[in-house]
Amino acid sequence: MIQPPATLGLLGGGQLGRYFVEAAQGMGYPVWVLDPDPASPAGRVAARHLCQAFDDPDALQALAGACAVITTEFENIPRPAVEWLDARACLRPGPRALSIAQDRLEEKAFLGEIGVAVAPWQAVLAGQTPEVRADAGGPTFPAILKTARLGYDGKGQVRLAQAGELPAAHAELGLVDSVLEAQVELERELSVLVARTADGSNEAFPVAENTHHEGILHLTRVPARVGDEPRERATAIARHIAEQLDYQGLLAVEFFLTVEGELLVNEIAPRPHNSGHYTQDACTVSQFEQQVRAVCGLGLAPALLTTPVAMVNLLGDLWPAAAEPDWQDVLAAGRARLHLYGKAEARSGRKMGHVNVLGLPGEDDAGAAAATAEALWQGLAKAVGRTVDGGMA
């Protein structure tokens, strides 16, 4: 057990890291952050910000020498840096989990090896003529071609209506290693957060239901509108993945629930997750405090929902030119909680904050909270000329 006032280390300095730092500080732990951005949200509140590249030898040495445990809020750390830290310091999660989460090809292969279902897929490798597999196990169309590495929030993806579009799509992505994945017909998109400690203890948060716009998470509602059976199955799968990885820390697992009732894993993230922001205001413990508890080997807190909740993302598209949005309606809504990340520059698609809307007494689902969250978002969107579906007016 790592007790305060031990120093914790963090790879990555975004908003997920900022909330981890604040949770750790509230428990008595100072945090050192390694991130190359001088204005990183986590670096601005950390005890020390190592403003260097993730593979800078001096920064890695300083982190390893000062920190009792090092964790992540960003998985795309260079592998040599991860392996160097793992050999010289306490890194949670370890290199295997980070490596698998960095590469969709490794991730799909790993999930298949441990018996977890995913959408039909095939590898499309750099340096090879892209051809669609003809056997029954290959992807059907329409399909999505995704870069194996570095793609997120809809980036690094091309949709294909038919097999003949594959060569052009691969060229559009730069002819890099990619995954061709069948586009399944969805009933719901879900996610589960599970925390696990070195001794195998684990605690799962309630299943969240997610809605995306243009590949970026727009709205999360909890409880999810699914029955007990898929809810229990998703939680069991998330626990199984964490166990098979011998995971230490907080793990997010994204799911597709198809119209046929099949539960498919979309991807895993070895860190807190955008869809877990609801835990800040509507659970007995936040995902960030639970991450601190997991990597420090503390007792995991019960991760129970205290009220129905909906979370809506605030992207840079909502920011007027050279101005801040008018938050009056959000701040006037007593059931709404505004969270801003302190980023200096608003850009299209950039996550700038979120709003959690809590359910009212007597409500047993998140429908009213989701409607309020969507209405608040629409008010902000209309002020900058966006339509209600997230497209530009």
Side-chain angles (χ1 to χ4, degrees):
M1 181 182 290
I2 297 168
Q3 301 184 39
T7 298
L8 312 184
L10 184 65
L11 301 172
Q15 63 271 11
L16 299 174
R18 181 188 183 104
Y19 292 127
F20 172 86
V21 171
E22 292 174 347
Q25 288 173 339
M27 299 170 69
Y29 298 96
V31 183
W32 286 23
V33 169
L34 174 58
D35 189 281
D37 180 4
S40 77
R44 292 169 61 183
V45 298
R48 184 176 179 186
H49 178 197
L50 300 168
C51 189
Q52 304 291 340
F54 290 117
D55 56 0
D56 181 85
D58 292 337
L60 293 174
Q61 183 65 61
L63 205 64
C67 299
V69 63
I70 300 166
T71 190
T72 62
E73 69 98 54
F74 172 72
E75 59 266 34
N76 290 310
I77 311 297
R79 289 192 189 185
V82 168
E83 292 167 356
W84 189 95
L85 282 172
D86 186 60
R88 294 164 178 81
C90 179
L91 180 67
R92 295 175 176 170
R96 181 167 177 251
L98 294 174
S99 175
I100 288 171
Q102 284 179 2
D103 191 300
R104 285 191 172 96
L105 292 172
E106 289 190 33
E107 184 179 76
K108 299 287 189 189
F110 163 73
L111 292 172
E113 289 168 3
I114 65 171
V116 172
V118 298
W121 69 282
Q122 73 168 71
V124 178
L125 301 179
Q128 297 183 5
T129 302
E131 295 181 354
V132 178
R133 278 170 48 188
D135 60 88
T140 55
F141 290 82
I144 305 175
L145 186 67
K146 304 176 181 179
T147 57
R149 300 178 65 84
L150 299 178
Y152 64 96
D153 286 345
K155 301 179 179 68
Q157 300 184 12
V158 179
R159 296 184 182 273
L160 291 77
Q162 54 191 9
E165 298 173 2
L166 179 58
H170 195 212
E172 184 177 338
L173 293 181
L175 302 177
V176 297
D177 287 350
S178 303
V179 172
L180 181 63
E181 180 180 297
Q183 185 174 328
V184 296
E185 191 173 354
L186 298 181
E187 176 70 23
R188 299 273 186 263
E189 292 187 66
L190 308 173
S191 58
V192 176
L193 292 162
V194 59
R196 188 175 186 274
T197 55
D199 65 1
S201 300
N202 64 84
E203 184 75 25
F205 284 88
V207 177
E209 175 187 341
N210 304 311
T211 303
H212 291 78
H213 281 166
E214 300 175 354
I216 303 176
L217 179 64
H218 172 62
L219 185 76
T220 294
R221 55 182 291 166
V222 186
R225 290 173 293 179
V226 295
D228 290 342
E229 192 278 332
R231 193 191 315 271
E232 293 169 2
R233 190 156 35 111
T235 302
I237 292 170
R239 293 183 194 272
H240 174 62
I241 293 171
E243 180 181 5
Q244 292 298 308
L245 287 170
D246 192 20
Y247 198 82
Q248 299 173 48
L250 188 74
L251 178 73
V253 183
E254 295 183 44
F255 293 90
F256 296 143
L257 179 63
T258 72
V259 293
E260 292 83 15
E262 191 173 12
L263 199 57
L264 308 174
V265 169
N266 176 29
E267 62 183 28
I268 62 176
R271 51 169 173 77
H273 198 258
N274 194 178
S275 69
H277 284 325
Y278 76 90
T279 65
Q280 291 174 292
D281 298 303
C283 283
T284 49
V285 65
S286 76
Q287 62 171 336
F288 306 104
E289 180 183 334
Q290 197 78 303
Q291 183 186 19
V292 176
R293 289 178 169 274
V295 301
C296 290
L298 314 184
L300 295 176
L304 305 176
L305 193 69
T306 58
T307 180
V309 61
M311 185 281 300
V312 65
N313 256 337
L314 304 175
L315 304 183
D317 310 75
L318 300 178
W319 264 244
E324 188 80 6
D326 182 354
W327 301 116
Q328 179 172 324
D329 289 346
V330 176
L331 296 174
R335 62 197 296 185
R337 304 290 186 272
L338 175 64
H339 298 268
L340 297 175
Y341 306 151
K343 295 181 179 179
E345 180 185 0
R347 298 192 300 267
S348 177
R350 191 183 197 194
K351 294 169 184 169
M352 300 293 292
H354 63 272
V355 176
N356 286 332
V357 178
L358 307 182
L360 295 176
E363 294 176 353
D364 58 1
D365 64 45
T372 298
E374 185 67 27
L376 292 172
W377 181 86
Q378 289 182 16
L380 294 168
K382 289 177 181 177
V384 290
R386 287 181 65 86
T387 60
V388 296
D389 66 355
M392 292 304 296

